[in-house]
Amino acid sequence: MSSALKIMLLILVLLSLHTLSLASSHQHHPLDPLTRSEFTLVRTIVQKSYPRSIHNLTFQYVGLDEPDKPRVLAWLSNPASKPPPRRAFVITRLSKKSHEIVVDLSTRLIVSDVVYDGYGYPLLTSDEQIAAITLPQTYEPFIESVKKRGLNLSDVVCSTFTVGWFGEVKISARVLKLLCFYTDHGTVNLYVRPVEGITLVVDLDEMKIVEYYDRFRVPVPKAEGTEYRASKMKPPFGPHLNGAAFLQPDGPGFNIDGHTVSWANWVFHVGYDVRAGPIISTASIYDLDKQTHRRVLYRGFISELFVPYMDPTEEWYYKTFFDSGEFGFGQSAVSLEPFADCPSNAEFLDAYYAGADGLPVKISNAFCIFERYAGNIMWRHTELEIPNEVIREVRPEVTLVVRMVATVGNYDYILDWEFKPSGSIKFGVGLTGVLEVKGVTYTHADHIKEDVYGTLLADNTIGVYHDHFLTYYLDLDVDGEPNSFIKKKLEKIQVIDPHSSPRKSYWTTVSETAKTESDARVQLGLMQSELTVVNTNKKTKLGNDVGYRLIPGSASHPLLSYDDYPQIRGAFTNNDVWVTPYNKSEKWAGGLYVDQSHGDDTLATWSLRNRDIENKDIVLWYTIGFHHVPCQEDFPVMPTLSAGFELRPTNFFESNPVLKTKAPKHVDWSNCSTTTHP
């Protein structure tokens, strides 16, 4: 190569780095997710540090290295000031080691590079899973097993399953199991047609099959009745639903500036992470009386999703998934369909994550944001007691929804954050998609004389019992960082003196302030109580502590033994509620390295330190639980099963904050009459 050509190539490289640096140095909100150009810059910087090992280097996780909270808050109070350093946190695999790397995007330098030597492995990438599932197609023992079953190899599709941990002392290899499914007769509903008895084990670092088992054969469930595509449906059809519309003649009532959303009396930041999916930050609400925005939620996201199946047999015992830490909610996000996943008035946001090679991967329409009016009532009253007068006041409720859908294998999770003008934040999750099933010889429930660990859903098809536990991380800053956790127990009081009242009992509240982490652990359903995060440094005019109350959903507690290996790893679900002091490094309830983890780095282990939490910057952790007993209505595709919870202002405002809210402007429809019919 000539000297002139070498100089020209060097100039091109420097110009490229300069362009990437400029792209990453514009004014960001400190909590903005990494941009497409920043992912490329991170890749360039990391690969430059390992010039001889690029072919061995894979990017398992790349995300924002969250700035220190005080610096973010200082910038928010004065956006003209210098923002916190823009950094990325990277986990790579290099020579069978996990490296934790922090990259400074402004200086284009690696700040730290630490090799992790504990238990567990990082997030699985889509690329390595895709590579793994192609291996069986050329593996002779597998090909022979498929032939013996009379199946067409081209119609067999395999999928990846994590192996968990079951008491092994030494650190095992980084492996996955592959199970396979059949797609002949035109069906695309592959998860309900398992090819039972075959298990393959793949070493991901070597990318080769290292173990193979063909234990038994049972019939592959039939394809008939498993179709779900609209284009393939045949009459007779189900119930006819007329169209509905939410008309906004003046356009949307919200504004999106970068990742900051302003709507009604709310302002908040929408972020994204390849592991967590949607992240809501710096949510504040405008107080009409005080004429200012007041802080509510600094940062919130789904920290982990634990899905243990209840079949202890050889082919199923290890199916105890941690969908966020093993597969990534963000990585599993799917592009949302306008007019189907989201209504016609929705706006959409894209998202980016780093592939295994470090290059940015785009998810178009990863989020939708829309105003929702479902006929709900914000508040109302009809006054009938005033003589000769009837007073009726009604305010319809319009809310703002931020939605993402993650498809993790067979399940689709609909994740909603809903903001109300009253100050409430509702958290919704919908479960749909396809059940995890196993093939059996049974075709009628009367034939079953043993525990099959599930429900017969169709011929040769058992839907296995399982759980879903979604643990939310909620860093509440109610009117500031110093907060306390209050348990108001509802206690029955017996009336002792029969002369004081004809009543024999009543209930009252007894308040208990949690001073340490152990005081704040709550198992719902065992005792009636109100759970509130309050700021004792801020009072209403009447002297009440300002606060936000947790309104839980239905309680579903783990039924596994606490010493069972999956439950040791998922011990963060042992309580419905935990409270910890804020710690930047404590964000993943199941630990940073979840795949094959040993449960030694979880919310449950951190909380054993029993730190002080009274009048501190605290984090509330709340778990939604589902015990799922499959039924025939869940087959072949499951109607959405929904649950959620709410954070609701409690003595936060001086009075009803939506008392003066005006109803949305009435829109005339040519075929609509307001005449009341008898």
Side-chain angles (χ1 to χ4, degrees):
M1 183 183 295
S2 67
S3 298
L5 184 56
K6 288 181 180 178
I7 293 172
M8 184 177 296
L9 288 173
L10 178 61
I11 291 172
L12 288 172
V13 170
L14 291 173
L15 284 173
S16 175
L17 286 173
H18 178 66
T19 302
L20 290 170
S21 179
L22 286 176
S24 66
S25 63
H26 77 274
Q27 186 79 334
H28 286 276
H29 186 292
L31 299 177
D32 277 355
L34 298 180
T35 65
R36 182 173 189 166
S37 59
E38 286 176 328
F39 281 117
T40 305
L41 178 59
V42 168
R43 177 179 187 264
T44 302
I45 294 168
V46 172
Q47 287 188 341
K48 186 180 178 183
S49 297
Y50 300 99
R52 297 178 183 176
S53 307
I54 292 175
H55 63 285
N56 290 326
L57 182 70
T58 59
F59 292 81
Q60 305 298 133
Y61 174 89
V62 183
L64 177 70
D65 183 38
E66 184 182 330
D68 292 334
K69 186 174 178 179
R71 296 203 60 175
V72 175
L73 295 175
W75 182 86
L76 288 172
S77 64
N78 181 19
S81 63
K82 185 178 179 180
R86 185 89 173 150
R87 292 178 172 178
F89 179 68
V90 184
I91 298 177
T92 65
R93 287 290 289 176
L94 177 63
S95 301
K96 300 185 179 181
K97 297 287 186 180
S98 296
H99 287 248
E100 300 175 8
I101 302 171
V102 177
V103 177
D104 190 303
L105 294 169
S106 57
T107 62
R108 289 181 283 124
L109 296 174
I110 290 179
V111 177
S112 65
D113 185 346
V114 178
V115 175
Y116 174 71
D117 60 359
Y119 298 115
Y121 294 106
L123 186 75
L124 301 166
T125 68
S126 296
D127 298 308
E128 63 190 348
Q129 292 181 73
I130 291 170
I133 64 176
T134 63
L135 296 177
Q137 295 292 323
T138 57
Y139 189 66
E140 284 301 326
F142 176 77
I143 295 172
E144 185 64 24
S145 292
V146 171
K147 286 181 179 178
K148 287 180 179 179
R149 285 166 169 77
L151 306 177
N152 296 320
L153 183 65
S154 59
D155 292 325
V156 178
V157 178
C158 298
S159 185
T160 56
F161 295 79
T162 49
V163 301
W165 168 71
F166 293 89
E168 302 89 348
V169 176
K170 67 176 184 178
I171 299 177
S172 61
R174 186 165 172 262
V175 296
L176 283 176
K177 289 186 177 180
L178 301 183
L179 301 179
C180 303
F181 306 87
Y182 203 47
T183 62
D184 73 331
H185 300 298
T187 183
V188 295
N189 199 345
L190 64 96
Y191 282 105
V192 300
R193 305 198 67 212
V195 179
E196 293 288 357
I198 298 175
T199 304
L200 304 97
V201 180
V202 174
D203 186 314
L204 290 174
D205 289 325
E206 298 287 346
M207 197 51 71
K208 67 179 183 181
I209 296 171
V210 292
E211 295 179 45
Y212 181 75
Y213 305 95
D214 186 351
R215 294 189 179 90
F216 61 89
R217 301 178 204 172
V218 296
V220 174
K222 299 174 183 177
E224 288 78 15
T226 66
E227 185 58 74
Y228 56 80
R229 290 171 290 181
S231 61
K232 302 294 183 179
M233 294 291 108
K234 297 178 180 178
F237 294 108
H240 177 73
L241 304 176
N242 288 336
F246 177 41
L247 189 63
Q248 293 184 291
D250 299 324
F254 60 91
N255 178 66
I256 303 175
D257 181 9
H259 289 269
T260 299
V261 179
S262 304
W263 172 78
N265 45 359
W266 282 101
V267 177
F268 58 90
H269 182 273
V270 179
Y272 165 87
D273 179 80
V274 67
R275 179 166 172 173
I279 300 177
I280 302 296
S281 303
T282 60
S284 63
I285 189 166
Y286 188 76
D287 188 321
L288 190 62
D289 290 333
K290 296 182 182 296
Q291 298 284 295
T292 188
H293 278 89
R294 299 170 64 191
R295 291 164 57 191
V296 176
L297 179 71
Y298 178 71
R299 204 149 168 83
F301 53 89
I302 294 176
S303 179
E304 192 52 83
L305 169 56
F306 178 36
V307 188
Y309 281 80
M310 297 300 130
D311 187 333
T313 61
E314 183 66 31
E315 276 65 38
W316 277 80
Y317 75 90
Y318 57 87
K319 294 185 179 181
T320 54
F321 306 119
F322 294 79
D323 282 346
S324 180
E326 292 175 340
F327 299 100
F329 254 180
Q331 183 174 233
S332 304
V334 295
S335 296
L336 299 174
E337 291 288 335
F339 313 114
D341 288 311
C342 308
S344 59
N345 60 318
E347 300 285 338
F348 294 83
L349 295 176
D350 300 333
Y352 292 91
Y353 68 90
D357 58 3
L359 291 173
V361 178
K362 180 180 180 180
I363 304 176
S364 300
N365 294 355
F367 296 98
C368 69
I369 302 175
F370 58 92
E371 288 168 286
R372 173 154 65 193
Y373 172 54
N376 295 330
I377 295 172
M378 181 187 295
W379 65 264
R380 77 170 323 282
H381 181 59
T382 299
E383 182 56 67
L384 301 172
E385 303 303 321
I386 301 175
N388 303 318
E389 190 171 5
V390 175
I391 299 171
R392 181 185 294 111
E393 288 289 326
V394 183
R395 301 293 184 273
E397 181 170 73
V398 179
T399 62
L400 186 74
V401 177
V402 179
R403 173 172 294 167
M404 192 194 89
V405 174
T407 299
V408 189
N410 54 304
Y411 261 103
D412 292 58
Y413 294 92
I414 305 162
L415 311 174
D416 282 357
W417 293 66
E418 185 174 10
F419 293 83
K420 293 187 172 188
S422 62
S424 284
I425 306 174
K426 292 191 71 175
F427 305 79
V429 56
L431 279 58
T432 180
V434 180
L435 293 176
E436 188 87 33
V437 304
K438 69 174 180 177
V440 293
T441 58
Y442 303 113
T443 58
H444 196 281
D446 289 345
H447 301 159
I448 301 173
K449 305 300 181 183
E450 60 183 340
D451 193 344
V452 292
Y453 317 108
T455 307
L456 188 67
L457 304 178
D459 287 353
N460 310 118
T461 305
I462 293 287
V464 177
Y465 305 142
H466 59 281
D467 297 322
H468 302 261
F469 294 107
L470 296 97
T471 299
Y472 284 76
Y473 170 104
L474 301 165
D475 180 5
L476 285 161
D477 284 356
V478 179
D479 245 0
E481 299 102 287
N483 286 178
S484 297
F485 182 64
I486 307 293
K487 292 186 286 186
K488 283 189 176 181
K489 298 179 181 178
L490 278 59
E491 293 191 359
K492 181 175 66 175
I493 305 296
Q494 297 292 139
V495 177
I496 299 175
D497 182 3
H499 302 291
S500 65
S501 173
R503 289 278 295 275
K504 293 185 177 182
S505 64
Y506 64 96
W507 64 259
T508 189
T509 62
V510 178
S511 292
E512 175 189 328
T513 300
K515 297 186 180 301
T516 64
E517 291 176 88
S518 62
D519 297 336
R521 297 171 193 155
V522 177
Q523 291 184 344
L524 296 169
L526 301 180
M527 180 178 295
Q528 298 294 323
S529 59
E530 297 270 312
L531 305 176
T532 311
V533 174
V534 303
N535 189 330
T536 58
N537 309 290
K538 303 288 181 68
K539 308 283 186 182
T540 64
K541 292 177 181 177
L542 297 177
N544 292 312
D545 296 331
V546 303
Y548 259 74
R549 177 162 48 113
L550 171 68
I551 301 179
S554 58
S556 295
H557 302 124
L559 297 176
L560 297 180
S561 302
Y562 282 4
D563 63 348
D564 196 356
Y565 295 108
Q567 194 60 38
I568 291 172
R569 300 173 66 210
F572 52 87
T573 64
N574 290 347
N575 297 301
D576 301 283
V577 177
W578 307 72
V579 178
T580 61
Y582 171 80
N583 185 324
K584 175 183 169 181
S585 66
E586 296 177 2
K587 58 192 299 186
W588 306 118
L592 181 58
Y593 296 89
V594 179
D595 182 28
Q596 299 185 53
S597 64
H598 290 196
D600 56 348
D601 177 31
T602 69
L603 169 59
T605 55
W606 312 331
S607 185
L608 290 175
R609 287 175 279 179
N610 205 23
R611 295 161 290 186
D612 293 336
I613 58 171
E614 184 179 11
N615 201 28
K616 304 286 186 183
D617 189 359
I618 58 177
V619 175
L620 177 74
W621 307 76
Y622 175 70
T623 297
I624 297 176
F626 300 80
H627 293 304
H628 194 173
V629 178
C631 60
Q632 287 184 241
E633 288 81 359
D634 294 335
F635 186 87
V637 174
M638 176 181 164
T640 300
L641 175 65
S642 299
F645 65 100
E646 184 175 346
L647 292 173
R648 184 180 178 93
T650 301
N651 299 318
F652 187 83
F653 298 102
E654 293 294 338
S655 61
N656 181 351
V658 289
L659 181 68
K660 296 183 179 180
T661 298
K662 294 181 178 180
K665 184 170 65 176
H666 177 71
V667 178
D668 290 319
W669 292 80
S670 59
N671 62 344
C672 180
S673 172
T674 58
T675 303
T676 301
H677 297 281

